């Protein structure tokens, strides 16, 4: 096994099922339940091609990341591999970019969940937000095995809902439920056909769904705390990739078969969710309230996993000398308490920004987040291309990227094409430009840090 710049002192205890569910729980969020309508109205039923293309890109990136994580487990994941491949500044910039991204996403997701819960209980949203953040901080301060078990069952509920949705949707498609008739292909062949908005519609759909799978990379961050990292990450990556593909593509297929594409759009409430609209066709009582509960659960589950990921990334950066050394300290049970509490604090700040929206600051920050996965995925692919020979020289690879180096280059070409596509869209262009500004700033800070603070050995 190849050594990394980091000597992790974190505990172990995560199992394959924990890693698998963690990846699933992070990628299956409110975006799936509320955001699918926007992609469908942009591309029509051809949004399936948009999701398939985005899914292919994620599969390739995850396979490359899994190869490196299985050969050289690190809680810094792609940040560590960026440093190994391109130097300390690259690792610094991509690691802190990811931390910043998840902090902002945490704020947005907690704001959304708190709005639902505040309405349920008739209180101001900040009250359930505060309670939830304190609760999840406590969950993450426990032993990592306890956190893994908690996230396992959290994610299991969401997966059970999607499986149930696919079963009910399938019965509706074939007219096997009372008062239902087979739908056939009318929504695919009518209303302008399968691709009513042509190639430009598929491209617009791709912009909407491109980052729907974000969060799946948490599997490789958690690998360093598994009992057998090489074995665990290999199995988890393989499992997460195909399950995510089935759940996403299966759900979109059911929705586009059952609902006219031009009747959908961005959902601002659970009642407008394509999932709720499909379930209402089965005459199920309490569908809207049920979907609200599932959306809140999805938000909270992703939030929980993101607290974990931000704390581990911050720990790894500090352990490598790219953050305050106090953040590299761990408790007797192997939890990076200082890093975790700092991440939770900035989660509070992100929630406050969502409520205040000070003169466009939030818009700029969320724009930078919107395109951050471009930089993270591109750096992952570039690092794998550079490190592959070095990893092979260190020993057999438990996970191997298919068709190396051709598919690795193909992934980079897809990412370059997605970047060009984003630059042709006004809203997406702002995301790319904001991301470039943030990455450039982090690179400058990283270069200054490397010069002023030469690499130190991790604390014992």
């Amino acid at each position: 096994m190849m050594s990394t710049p980091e000597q992790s002192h974190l505990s172990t205890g995560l199992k394959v099922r924990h890693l698998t569910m963690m990846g699933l729980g992070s990628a299956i969020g409110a975006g799936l339940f509320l955001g699918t309508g926007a992609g469908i109205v942009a591309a029509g039923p051809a949004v399936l091609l948009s999701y398939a293309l985005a899914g292919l890109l994620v599969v390739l990136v995850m396979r490359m990341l899994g190869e490196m994580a299985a050969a050289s487990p690190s809680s810094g994941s792609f940040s560590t591999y960026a440093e190994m491949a391109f130097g300390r500044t690259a690792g610094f910039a991509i690691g802190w970019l990811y931390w910043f991204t998840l902090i902002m996403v945490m704020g947005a997701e907690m704001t959304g969940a708190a709005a639902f819960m505040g309405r349920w209980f008739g209180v101001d949203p900040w009250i359930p937000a505060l309670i939830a953040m304190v609760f999840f901080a406590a969950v993450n301060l426990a032993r990592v095995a306890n956190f893994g078990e908690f996230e396992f069952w959290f994610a299991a509920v969401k997966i059970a809902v999607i499986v149930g949705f696919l079963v009910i949707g399938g019965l509706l498609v074939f007219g096997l439920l009372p008062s239902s008739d087979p739908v056939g292909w009318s929504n695919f062949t009518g209303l302008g056909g399968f691709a009513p908005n042509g190639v430009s519609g598929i491209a617009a759909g791709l912009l909407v769904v491109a980052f729907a799978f974000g969060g799946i990379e948490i599997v490789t961050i958690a690998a360093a705390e598994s009992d057998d990292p090489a074995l665990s990450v290999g199995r988890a990556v393989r499992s997460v990739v195909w399950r995510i593909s089935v759940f996403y593509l299966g759900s979109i297929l059911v929705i586009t078969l059952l609902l006219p594409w031009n009747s959908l759009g961005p959902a601002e409430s659970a009642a407008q969710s394509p999932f709720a609209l499909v379930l209402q066709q089965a005459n199920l009582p309490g569908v809207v309230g049920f979907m609200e509960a599932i959306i809140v659960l999805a938000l909270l589950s992703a939030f929980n996993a993101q607290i974990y990921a931000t704390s581990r990334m911050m720990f790894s950066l500090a352990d490598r000398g790219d953050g305050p050394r106090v953040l590299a300290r761990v408790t007797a049970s192997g939890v990076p308490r200082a890093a975790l509490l700092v991440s939770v604090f900035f989660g509070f700040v992100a929630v406050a920004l969502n409520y205040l929206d000070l003169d466009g600051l939030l818009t700029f920050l969320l724009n930078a987040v919107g395109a951050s996965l471009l930089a993270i995925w591109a750096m992952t692919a570039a690092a794998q291309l550079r490190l592959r020979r070095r990893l092979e020289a260190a020993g057999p690879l438990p996970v191997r990227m298919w068709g190396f180096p051709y598919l690795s280059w193909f992934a980079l070409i897809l990412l370059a094409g997605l970047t060009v596509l984003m630059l042709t869209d006004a809203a997406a262009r702002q995301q790319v430009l904001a991301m470039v500004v943030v990455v450039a700033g982090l690179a400058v800070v990283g270069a200054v840090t490397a010069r002023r603070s030469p690499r130190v050995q991790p604390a014992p």
Side-chain angles (χ1 to χ4, degrees):
M1 183 179 293
M2 187 174 178
S3 62
T4 69
E6 166 194 338
Q7 293 177 350
S8 176
H9 303 288
L10 300 172
S11 64
T12 59
L14 292 177
K15 304 183 185 302
V16 175
R17 63 186 181 89
H18 294 147
L19 296 184
T20 301
M21 285 298 190
M22 202 177 298
L24 290 171
S26 299
I28 300 176
L32 174 62
F33 297 112
L34 292 175
T36 51
I40 293 172
V41 79
V47 75
L48 284 163
L49 299 180
S50 304
Y51 271 102
L53 189 57
L56 173 62
L57 176 58
V58 171
V59 165
L60 295 177
V61 171
M62 280 302 297
R63 187 72 182 188
M64 288 184 281
L65 189 53
E67 177 183 280
M68 294 183 288
S72 185
S74 168
S75 58
S77 188
F78 40 83
S79 170
T80 299
Y81 310 135
E83 178 176 327
M84 292 167 63
F86 301 108
R88 185 173 172 184
T89 298
F92 180 101
I94 213 69
W96 283 111
L97 174 67
Y98 183 71
W99 179 86
F100 156 74
T101 296
L102 286 198
I103 288 295
M104 293 306 302
V105 171
M106 282 167 57
E109 292 185 334
M110 182 53 69
T111 301
F116 280 110
M117 292 187 289
R119 189 166 64 250
W120 292 348
F121 300 109
V123 298
D124 291 335
W126 69 266
I127 297 175
L130 177 62
I131 294 172
M133 294 188 79
V134 171
F135 173 76
F136 286 114
V139 168
N140 279 267
L141 285 171
R143 295 182 63 87
V144 71
N146 296 337
F147 159 78
E149 198 67 24
F150 189 93
E151 187 60 22
F152 173 88
W153 292 108
F154 227 164
V157 173
K158 291 191 295 184
I159 293 168
V161 168
I162 293 178
V163 171
F165 173 81
L166 292 176
V167 171
I168 294 172
L171 294 174
L172 285 170
V173 167
F174 293 104
L176 298 178
L177 289 181
S179 302
S180 67
D181 297 309
V183 297
W185 300 94
S186 59
N187 286 327
F188 274 29
T189 57
L191 302 173
F194 180 70
N197 298 321
V199 175
S200 62
I202 296 173
L206 180 60
L207 288 182
V208 175
V209 309
F211 305 123
F213 301 95
I216 196 172
E217 70 286 335
I218 289 178
V219 170
T220 59
I221 293 175
E225 293 182 82
S226 63
D227 296 325
D228 186 342
L231 176 65
S232 297
V233 76
R235 289 182 178 177
V237 165
R238 295 185 192 99
S239 177
V240 166
V241 164
W242 76 258
R243 291 185 189 184
I244 287 286
S245 300
V246 169
F247 292 153
Y248 267 85
L249 292 177
S251 298
I252 301 304
L253 178 60
V254 166
I255 291 169
T256 50
L257 282 171
L258 290 170
L259 302 175
W261 66 268
N262 58 357
S263 68
L264 300 174
E268 297 181 357
S269 68
Q272 297 173 336
S273 165
F275 286 78
L277 295 175
V278 166
L279 293 176
Q280 284 174 346
Q281 292 188 10
N283 297 315
L284 296 175
V287 165
V288 173
F290 175 75
M291 284 308 304
E292 280 194 358
I294 294 302
I295 290 167
V296 169
L297 182 69
L299 289 166
L300 295 180
S301 173
F303 180 85
N304 187 40
Q306 287 155 5
I307 289 180
Y308 173 86
T310 52
S311 65
R312 268 50 178 188
M313 183 59 72
M314 182 179 278
F315 162 82
S316 176
L317 288 162
D319 198 48
R320 288 178 276 145
D322 290 332
R325 292 293 300 166
V326 67
L327 300 177
R329 296 177 183 173
V330 297
T331 64
S333 57
V335 176
R337 180 167 54 197
L340 194 150
L341 293 176
V342 169
S343 290
V344 170
F345 168 77
F346 278 98
F348 275 112
V349 172
V351 171
L353 287 175
N354 275 274
Y355 287 132
L356 298 175
D357 192 13
L358 301 174
D359 296 327
L361 173 63
L362 180 64
T363 300
F364 172 79
L365 294 177
L366 290 178
N367 274 337
V369 166
S372 63
L373 281 178
L374 273 179
I376 292 167
W377 289 350
M379 181 60 76
T380 296
Q384 189 267 342
L385 277 164
R386 186 154 190 177
L387 292 177
R388 172 63 176 266
R389 304 302 182 197
R390 204 189 309 175
L391 293 171
E392 285 182 317
L397 297 179
V399 177
R400 298 179 69 88
M401 176 60 182
W402 312 293
F404 178 83
Y406 307 108
L407 287 182
S408 298
W409 280 110
F410 179 63
L412 279 173
I413 292 171
L414 287 179
L415 285 166
L418 179 57
T419 304
V420 172
L421 183 61
M422 293 182 73
L423 291 173
T424 64
D425 179 85
R429 181 165 57 249
Q430 294 302 313
Q431 294 179 5
V432 173
L433 296 177
M435 180 269 292
V436 169
V437 170
V438 171
V439 171
L442 288 171
V444 170
V445 175
V448 171
T449 299
R451 176 168 294 186
R452 292 186 175 181
S453 177
R455 174 71 72 214
V456 296
Q457 292 299 317

